Each structure stands twice: as structure tokens, then as C-alpha cells.
Amino acid sequence: MISHKHKSLRAKVRAQAAERQATAAEQQVNNGARDEDVQQQRIAVASATKNFQTAQTNYKRNKALYDAGSVSKAALDDAETSLTLATNQLNQQKESLQKLLHGATAEERMQASEQTTQAAVAVKQAEEEIRGAQLSVDRSRTQLETIQQSRQQLADQKLAIDLLKQQKDTQEVQLKTLLLKKERLVLKAPQDGKVTSISTKVGENVAQGAPLITLETNDLYYDLYVNEEQAGKFKANQEIKTRISALNKDLKGTVRYVTAAPQFANVKMSREKGEADTATFQVRVYVTREAALLPGMTVEVNTNEISS
């Protein structure tokens, strides 16, 4: 694709050639014909004729190729422009030869002067177009540099956003870690109640499973101490039947947890017979409060009725 500046340069070249030809024609008109001028003009006519024939042949070839879809419209336009220029040059050379042979009239002298003037104006116009095209090129270059800078700024901003997102993700992970640590540092009672005693002091090391605080609640519970085989039958949130002997009544109980019992609850075996101690497990069961049910009453649980 030919740019506007390149077109202006080509127009200037053509205008300068036309100006030289018009100037030469005017000089010939004013100076009159000489034998050597006539001979040179005939040579110029022959050269212009050859250029015309070449341009005509080139145009016909490009026209045929364009009709066949083998060349672009721009190539055909260039060939047509060259043919037009060659035709004008041939006509001018022929007219100049005729003027040399027959002499120039006052009207022809005036026309030759006007043509020279018009050619000079065309050259100036072409120069103005070139300057305008150069200004357009400079503005386009400036705009392109501005666009490139904007793209670079956008790329930098995108990189900064990506870095901020990575920092945000890292800080979210750190926040979750801190919240988890905070949650683990806060002790929560399994239910609402009144604190009746605190078994530890601040800064004291506490063994796992040791009681820290005693709560007084409205719930009633009892503890079962079972052996290793029976412990496998109990699971948290499991419902079991509880017999209240004093009330001669069965109540629904819910297992809260199963844990290793204190050492005092373990069954001590005979060392003389080589028998090992049997571990005991503590099962805490909560029961529904009733008016007749009092703390300290005896409960019975048939472990044989509990399926594992």
C-alpha cells in the first residue's frame, strides 16, 4: 500500500518533469527553430513515441492480468498513470516539433508561458503536499509512541495487579492460620453452665484430658467404667437405655464421649501369676432431667443389650 507521502513525492517528480518540459518548450517558442533544435526535437519525439508504446503495452498487459484477477487495482492504476504521462509527453514533444517547424504565434508564446507558470505552481503544490504528508507522518509517529507508552503502562499495571493478588492470597492464608491458632487458644465449654471451680493456674502445664474447669449445669449425667472389649460398643451421640433403680423406670441416655479412665479405675491383676493390668474406659452418658430424678441415684446399664 503506497503512503500519502510517497504519492506526494511521485507527484512532485512528475510536476518537476512537466516544468522542465514546459520551460524548454517556452524557450523554443521564444527563440525560434534551429536545425539542431529541430533534429533534437525529432529525437525527443521518437523517444517519447517509444516510451508511449512501452507504457501502452504495459497497460494492456496489466489490464488483462487485472481482469484475470492476477494483479491488484493499484498496479493497474500505476500502469494507467504511466500511460497517461507518456501520452502527454508524446503530445507535448509533437507540438514542440510542430512549433519548431512552423514557428510560434503570439498566442502560442502566451500559452507556453502559462504552461510554464502552471507547471511551477504544480511543483509548489506538490512540495506543500510533501510537507503536509511529513507533518502527518510526524503526528502519526508521535501517536504511535504514545500508544506504545500506554501499552507499556498497562502491562506494568497488570503486573502490579498480579503481584497484589499474590500478596492478597498469601495474607489470606496467613489470616486463616492465625484464626485457627486463635480458635485453638480459646477453650469452649461443651454447654452452658455456671463455673464452680478452676483446677489450673495461668502458665501451668496441663496434661491431655485433665479437667480445667468445673461447670454446674442443668443436665444430669453418669459415668460408666467398662473394660476394653465393652468400650468398643459405645460411640459418641449414641442412644442407650438407662435403668433408674429407685424410680423403677427406664430413661433415654445419650453417650457424650468415651475416654481412657483414670489409673484408679484400672483392674489390677496378680503379678505372681504374670497377668497384666486390664485398662478401663470411662463412658459419660447424659440423661433427660425429670422432677423425680435426683443426683446420686443409682443407674443400671445392660451392656449386653448394646450392639457395637
Side-chain angles (χ1 to χ4, degrees):
M1 183 176 180
I2 301 176
S3 65
H4 180 65
K5 182 178 179 181
H6 290 167
K7 290 181 179 180
S8 299
L9 288 173
R10 292 174 58 181
K12 179 182 178 182
V13 172
R14 291 195 296 268
Q16 288 176 339
E19 182 184 21
R20 289 193 296 270
Q21 292 175 0
T23 302
E26 183 182 8
Q27 290 177 353
Q28 290 177 356
V29 169
N30 293 329
N31 296 334
R34 295 182 301 175
D35 292 340
E36 57 270 21
D37 291 337
V38 173
Q39 185 64 27
Q40 290 180 357
Q41 188 60 36
R42 285 175 176 171
I43 295 174
V45 170
S47 177
T49 301
K50 185 176 180 179
N51 291 337
F52 168 75
Q53 293 173 347
T54 302
Q56 188 177 43
T57 301
N58 184 50
Y59 173 75
K60 291 180 179 179
R61 182 174 64 254
N62 279 277
K63 181 65 169 61
L65 292 174
Y66 174 74
D67 293 339
S70 300
V71 297
S72 63
K73 185 65 168 55
L76 180 61
D77 292 341
D78 290 342
E80 184 178 2
T81 301
S82 299
L83 177 59
T84 302
L85 180 60
T87 302
N88 293 335
Q89 291 177 349
L90 178 58
N91 292 333
Q92 290 175 1
Q93 296 298 341
K94 287 181 178 180
E95 290 176 1
S96 298
L97 179 60
Q98 292 298 321
K99 290 176 182 179
L100 288 175
L101 294 175
H102 301 93
T105 63
E107 183 179 359
E108 291 175 343
R109 293 175 186 273
M110 183 178 295
Q111 290 178 353
S113 177
E114 290 178 356
Q115 290 177 355
T116 303
T117 302
Q118 291 175 359
V121 172
V123 172
K124 291 182 180 179
Q125 290 178 348
E127 291 176 347
E128 289 295 330
E129 290 181 359
I130 291 174
R131 283 193 288 270
Q134 183 61 47
L135 290 175
S136 298
V137 170
D138 293 339
R139 285 195 296 269
S140 299
R141 184 179 293 109
T142 302
Q143 292 175 354
L144 179 60
E145 291 176 353
T146 302
I147 292 173
Q148 290 176 343
Q149 291 176 356
S150 299
R151 288 178 177 176
Q152 184 61 42
Q153 290 176 355
L154 289 175
D156 294 341
Q157 291 175 357
K158 184 178 182 300
L159 179 60
I161 291 173
D162 293 338
L163 292 176
L164 290 174
K165 287 181 178 179
Q166 293 178 1
Q167 293 177 0
K168 176 176 175 292
D169 294 339
T170 302
Q171 291 174 354
E172 286 180 347
V173 173
Q174 293 176 352
L175 177 60
K176 290 180 180 179
T177 303
L178 293 175
L179 291 175
L180 180 60
K181 290 181 178 180
K182 177 184 177 182
E183 183 179 356
R184 290 176 177 176
L185 291 174
V186 177
L187 297 180
K188 295 182 179 180
Q191 61 193 88
D192 296 336
K194 178 181 178 181
V195 178
T196 59
S197 65
I198 300 175
S199 305
T200 58
K201 298 180 180 179
V202 177
E204 181 180 352
N205 292 328
V206 180
Q208 182 177 1
L212 302 178
I213 295 175
T214 302
L215 291 178
E216 179 180 337
T217 68
N218 291 327
D219 295 335
L220 295 178
Y221 68 88
Y222 60 87
D223 291 333
L224 291 177
Y225 294 95
V226 297
N227 58 33
E228 298 175 1
E229 296 179 356
Q230 295 173 333
K233 296 183 178 182
F234 296 91
K235 295 180 177 57
N237 299 320
Q238 179 183 10
E239 293 184 359
I240 61 174
K241 184 172 69 174
T242 301
R243 181 72 176 175
I244 309 299
S245 301
L247 301 179
N248 193 24
K249 184 178 182 180
D250 293 334
L251 297 178
K252 181 178 70 175
T254 303
V255 177
R256 176 60 61 87
Y257 61 80
V258 180
T259 184
Q263 291 294 326
F264 69 85
N266 291 338
V267 178
K268 302 297 182 179
M269 304 301 290
S270 174
R271 297 298 181 183
E272 296 178 356
K273 298 180 180 181
E275 296 177 341
D277 295 344
T278 301
T280 304
F281 288 84
Q282 177 185 3
V283 181
R284 177 155 296 182
V285 181
Y286 280 74
V287 295
T288 305
R289 175 180 286 276
E290 292 187 0
L293 184 62
L294 300 176
M297 287 185 173
T298 303
V299 298
E300 296 178 358
V301 175
N302 188 352
T303 57
N304 293 327
E305 296 178 355
I306 300 174
S307 59
S308 57

